Amino acid sequence: MQYTLIRSNRKTLAIQINKNAEIIVRAPLRAPLFLVEKFLEEKSEWILKNQQKMRERNLKNPKKNLSETEILEMKNNLKKYIIPKVAEWHKKTDFPAYGTIKITKSETRWGSCSGKNNLNFSYRLAEFLWGNEKFIDAVIVHEICHLKEKNHQKRFWNLVKNLMPEY
């Protein structure tokens, strides 16, 4: 199984299937290669299933080639919506403060919350403005809950459910 290994200052192993259906493995700096290989073997069924899903998605939804001007306009429109919405949702919590809010060109995730509590949102969320803002709000709530819980375990999902029951 061919994959790209990215080592960083992290504690766990993780597998990602990128938009080209390629395997990315993220590993701690000192994780032995045999553990990485064993992890891949254990997750091989999941990997194959998700690679196939990604290939099918790519066939159904070929990527739109947007110009830099179009992307910039999408980012600006989204920023006008997201900044006040993050503040509005955050006020409903007692979670730690968030840092900066950035609109990124991410193609692989809707949003993220950094270890320093900076919130990032993909410009692609702008496609949901003027019609499906609840989806954007769900991504906002998801990332805000990461201010308190930096994982996707039960406590995290309980925070999400309490903040936005219709999530």
Side-chain angles (χ1 to χ4, degrees), residues 16 23 45 58 60 81 85 100 120:
Q16 173 188 358
I23 304 165
E45 192 175 312
N58 290 341
K60 288 179 189 173
Y81 180 83
K85 275 294 186 172
T100 61
N120 302 297

Side-chain angles (χ1 to χ4, degrees), residues 119-163:
L119 302 176
N120 302 297
F121 299 95
S122 171
Y123 77 95
R124 296 176 309 127
L125 286 170
E127 296 173 26
F128 299 95
L129 288 171
W130 309 289
N132 197 359
E133 292 87 355
K134 279 282 189 197
F135 179 76
I136 300 171
D137 285 5
V139 175
I140 291 169
V141 165
H142 183 107
E143 300 313 330
I144 285 174
C145 289
H146 279 310
L147 296 170
K148 186 154 185 158
E149 287 291 328
K150 300 284 190 206
N151 56 58
H152 290 117
Q153 302 208 352
K154 189 173 183 170
R155 285 190 306 193
F156 169 80
W157 291 110
N158 286 338
L159 293 174
V160 171
K161 185 178 177 183
N162 288 336
L163 192 53

